[in-house]
Amino acid sequence: QPSPALARRVQAAVALWRQGRVERVMLTGGVGHHPPAEADAAAALCLSLGVPAASLVVERGSADTRGNASWSRAALGDCSVVVVTDSYHCLRCYRLFMQHFRVVATLGTVPPWRARVKMTARELVSLAWHGVQGHL
């Protein structure tokens, strides 16, 4: 069962697909603490929302945002992408995906306010860490 955050992001990606703004929906994420892989849970939700399997690209190898970007490039090749994530995560996603794709846009979904506060603080730490590591 997808988490509320994953369901929110998948629904936004499906809306882009329905509007004809994207040809395919790339679903990323390996197995966390418990199976299935996050990408598989997202794919099942896409299918239930009417996206045909032929329009899905599923990547199960990544464990973090940097991995999402590099594995996505390996699967999609050189193309333009729209990264759908939570609003607080858009900046880091943009910076990491720009290292692999020529054109990157982000679409941020809006989580409940408590999650926004908590996750924005976490994201600031992640941005600083990636910056210190030279990943951004």
Side-chain angles (χ1 to χ4, degrees):
Q1 192 76 302
S3 69
L6 182 59
R8 185 175 55 250
R9 295 188 304 261
V10 167
Q11 290 166 352
V14 169
L16 289 175
W17 177 82
R18 284 188 179 139
Q19 294 164 6
R21 294 177 60 195
V22 297
E23 295 174 18
R24 296 174 288 176
V25 178
M26 175 87 190
L27 307 156
T28 65
V31 177
H33 296 295
H34 306 285
E38 186 173 66
D40 289 330
L45 181 55
C46 282
L47 293 169
S48 76
L49 294 172
V51 179
S55 294
L56 301 179
V57 180
V58 181
E59 175 279 304
R60 299 171 186 88
S62 62
D64 56 24
T65 307
R66 283 183 65 214
N68 295 151
S70 63
W71 283 82
S72 294
R73 172 56 191 253
L76 298 173
D78 186 22
C79 64
S80 301
V81 296
V82 179
V83 179
V84 179
T85 189
D86 286 320
S87 56
Y88 58 80
H89 191 42
C90 284
L91 175 61
R92 186 160 54 101
C93 282
Y94 176 80
R95 299 286 300 264
L96 292 170
F97 274 76
M98 278 301 296
Q99 295 173 15
H100 300 277
F101 293 95
R102 56 188 158 95
V103 178
V104 176
T106 60
L107 174 64
T109 65
V110 181
W113 74 270
R114 285 182 188 214
R116 277 195 312 259
V117 171
K118 176 184 174 186
M119 296 309 289
T120 297
R122 179 179 177 264
E123 189 64 18
L124 290 172
V125 171
S126 292
L127 279 166
W129 175 251
H130 280 281
V132 167
Q133 296 295 311
H135 299 151
L136 297 177

